[in-house]
Amino acid sequence: MESLSVNLSVTRPYVITSLLGGGSGGITMSARMKRRLGAENVAIVEPSEMHYYQPIWTLVGAGAKGVASSGRPTASVVPSGVKWVRSKVQEINPDTNTVRTGNGMEISYQYLIVALGLQLHYEKIKGLPEIEDWVKFKIGSNYSVLTVEKTWSALQNFKEGNAVFSFPNTPVKCAGAPQKIMYLTDAYLRKTGKRAKANIVYNTSLPVLFGVKKYADALWEIVKSRDMQVNLRQNLIEVRADKQEAVFENLDNPGETKVFEYEMLHVTPPMGPNPEVKGSLLADEAGWLDVNKETLQHNKYPNVFGIGDCTNLPTSKTAAAVAAQSSILDRTISKVLKNEKPDSKYDGYTSCPLVTNYNTVILAEFDYSGQPLETFPIDQSKERWTMYHMKADVMPHLYWHGLLKGFWGGPGPYRKIMHLGMK
């Protein structure tokens, strides 16, 4: 078995930081650790040759952006000088401070940052794995680079009938995305003169339209004014592609099902913890990385830290949350390296730009308690074209050139300025 360890010079009081995962959390923390420890003391484990800015896939699925704009080679985003191990994580052993990779390498670490994301489970929807031609059966999903363009195909090929959108009975990343594509579908069908022949149906497993009341109230107004049908506590369990039928279970009365015929179906897959985290000593009972909700330090292993979708942090899993977490985690690690107690506290900040049309967004921002934590001194529950511009044009630039380079830690400092120090 090949072994990788980094031996530091006697003059440097630090040792290797190993990062698992090359998504947004892994890349931004590798950039921050490079600045803190030196590139030669940082290693990142990631098998994918491409890195994707996933939040833009909502607009890709609606034809407003091209999928090519969402991806860049991983080699171009891994900080220069940082050791990139092109392999999957196979096993994490925090008792021996080692990680085993799929290519047989064993990595020794002194500090470990876990940023492995979550797992999509399309296979848990009966009938879906057997469907080879999603375009033929008018199915799409904005949650995978392999299926996001199929959403746009289904939208363009829509003639008349039901456009059905699902939200699974599991934790998800970007909880607003399943309904964003519904609003964009409505807008596209109006623009192309097909809306009168369409029924737009949003079946969500949740008991609410959105988890924060201020924004939910605004979204309910949009749903009613645009004649959309929202069914709560409905979970997609089966797709019968040959009949173009989607089967939903009533979660308030298990066993009771309802069949919806569809002309277009957007699937949000069930999601779950990363299997390597779930199978390790680092997981909580549900399989998520068990970290302190304020410091992001592991609750049992003090030299292990977590960021992003793989953690059990009780906030919405978004890229905006990763940005806010990255600045806190950087501060936490700086204190731990000095044998000091972490003093910065993550408040659960997360953000969801709710795209409601091809030129409007409701910018939802909130914290652990589900209370709005808004950056701008305006009512962000209103649809605004300025927020759409920020979502479509500003945020991608901020992602590639700010977050991934370790310079963007969320809007916290700007929020204080905007609100004259009162937030």
Side-chain angles (χ1 to χ4, degrees):
M1 179 182 291
E2 187 180 353
S3 179
L4 169 72
S5 61
V6 177
N7 296 315
L8 307 185
S9 63
V10 177
T11 58
R12 186 182 291 275
Y14 305 127
V15 291
I16 185 173
T17 295
S18 182
L19 292 109
L20 307 184
S24 56
I27 296 296
T28 187
M29 289 312 300
S30 66
R32 288 176 180 269
M33 291 302 100
K34 173 186 172 180
R35 284 202 296 275
R36 197 168 285 287
L37 301 171
E40 71 276 11
N41 303 318
V42 182
I44 186 165
V45 182
E46 169 57 49
S48 301
E49 294 292 332
M50 288 293 290
H51 178 103
Y52 292 99
Y53 176 57
Q54 297 180 25
I56 208 70
W57 286 347
T58 284
L59 300 181
V60 174
K65 293 280 185 178
V67 72
S69 71
S70 71
R72 296 187 182 182
T74 301
S76 71
V77 297
V78 172
S80 62
V82 167
K83 169 73 173 177
W84 175 22
V85 179
R86 290 173 169 83
S87 183
K88 288 185 176 181
V89 174
Q90 189 163 327
E91 185 181 9
I92 309 167
N93 191 335
D95 286 334
T96 59
N97 293 331
T98 57
V99 173
R100 198 154 48 85
T101 65
N103 61 3
M105 180 181 286
E106 188 170 88
I107 303 171
S108 300
Y109 64 83
Q110 183 152 348
Y111 297 100
L112 181 70
I113 300 173
V114 184
L116 285 168
L118 50 64
Q119 193 87 349
L120 303 179
H121 290 291
Y122 287 101
E123 80 283 355
K124 291 190 175 181
I125 300 171
K126 185 180 178 183
L128 200 59
E130 291 77 36
I131 302 170
E132 293 183 1
D133 189 348
W134 281 33
V135 173
K136 176 183 176 182
F137 295 107
K138 301 182 178 180
I139 303 168
S141 177
N142 289 353
Y143 275 86
S144 166
V145 70
L146 300 175
T147 57
V148 62
E149 291 179 298
K150 294 174 172 55
T151 304
W152 177 226
S153 294
L155 190 50
Q156 290 175 291
N157 294 332
F158 188 96
K159 293 182 176 63
E160 62 177 303
N162 293 332
V164 179
F165 305 84
S166 73
F167 187 109
N169 188 31
T170 66
V172 300
K173 56 180 174 181
C174 194
Q179 61 182 291
K180 295 177 195 180
I181 188 60
M182 169 181 70
Y183 302 123
L184 287 166
T185 296
D186 169 78
Y188 178 80
L189 295 178
R190 290 180 190 278
K191 190 166 62 174
T192 54
K194 299 176 184 177
R195 183 62 179 90
K197 293 184 176 181
N199 297 313
I200 293 183
V201 182
Y202 181 60
N203 288 345
T204 173
S205 64
L206 298 177
V208 292
L209 182 56
F210 193 75
V212 180
K213 187 178 185 302
K214 175 179 181 176
Y215 307 117
D217 289 346
L219 293 169
W220 275 116
E221 290 300 317
I222 293 171
V223 163
K224 290 171 185 172
S225 67
R226 298 179 194 172
D227 192 26
M228 302 172 183
Q229 181 183 338
V230 175
N231 300 308
L232 305 176
R233 302 293 286 155
Q234 298 292 317
N235 182 39
L236 179 64
I237 58 171
E238 183 180 359
V239 176
R240 301 168 181 165
D242 54 333
K243 299 178 182 178
Q244 286 189 206
E245 292 178 345
V247 183
F248 289 83
E249 181 179 25
N250 181 356
L251 294 174
D252 288 332
N253 189 12
E256 177 188 308
T257 60
K258 187 172 182 179
V259 178
F260 290 78
E261 292 183 354
Y262 68 83
E263 169 70 0
M264 168 188 175
L265 175 64
H266 180 268
V267 176
T268 301
M271 302 178 205
N274 175 277
E276 282 67 50
V277 171
K278 187 176 182 179
S280 77
L281 297 170
L282 299 175
D284 66 7
E285 289 183 357
W288 303 96
L289 189 76
D290 187 20
V291 295
N292 181 288
K293 64 182 275 190
E294 294 182 335
T295 66
L296 281 63
Q297 187 174 24
H298 195 270
N299 282 320
K300 181 180 177 184
Y301 296 93
N303 65 331
V304 176
F305 309 87
I307 186 171
D309 297 350
C310 69
T311 67
N312 62 356
L313 296 171
T315 193
S316 189
K317 299 177 185 295
T318 67
V322 166
Q325 290 163 21
S326 69
S327 62
I328 299 294
L329 183 52
D330 190 26
R331 176 78 176 174
T332 291
I333 292 174
S334 75
K335 289 291 187 177
V336 171
L337 289 170
K338 299 172 187 172
N339 290 316
E340 296 176 8
K341 187 177 180 180
D343 57 359
S344 293
K345 294 182 178 181
Y346 175 52
D347 56 12
Y349 172 83
T350 190
S351 172
C352 183
L354 292 153
V355 183
T356 55
N357 208 318
Y358 281 90
N359 58 0
T360 57
V361 157
I362 289 174
L363 183 60
E365 296 180 288
F366 48 98
D367 60 16
Y368 275 137
S369 64
Q371 294 302 307
L373 192 60
E374 297 181 343
T375 299
F376 301 98
I378 55 176
D379 182 1
Q380 290 181 200
S381 68
K382 295 189 181 301
E383 295 178 275
R384 298 180 188 273
W385 71 265
T386 50
M387 298 304 178
Y388 179 87
H389 169 61
M390 195 165 71
K391 157 75 177 175
D393 305 311
V394 177
M395 287 182 178
H397 184 82
L398 195 59
Y399 180 84
W400 295 112
H401 302 288
L403 178 63
L404 293 192
K405 296 188 184 304
F407 295 126
W408 175 249
Y414 304 93
R415 185 184 311 118
K416 287 186 178 179
I417 295 170
M418 293 275 191
H419 293 271
L420 304 176
M422 290 183 287
K423 273 200 179 183

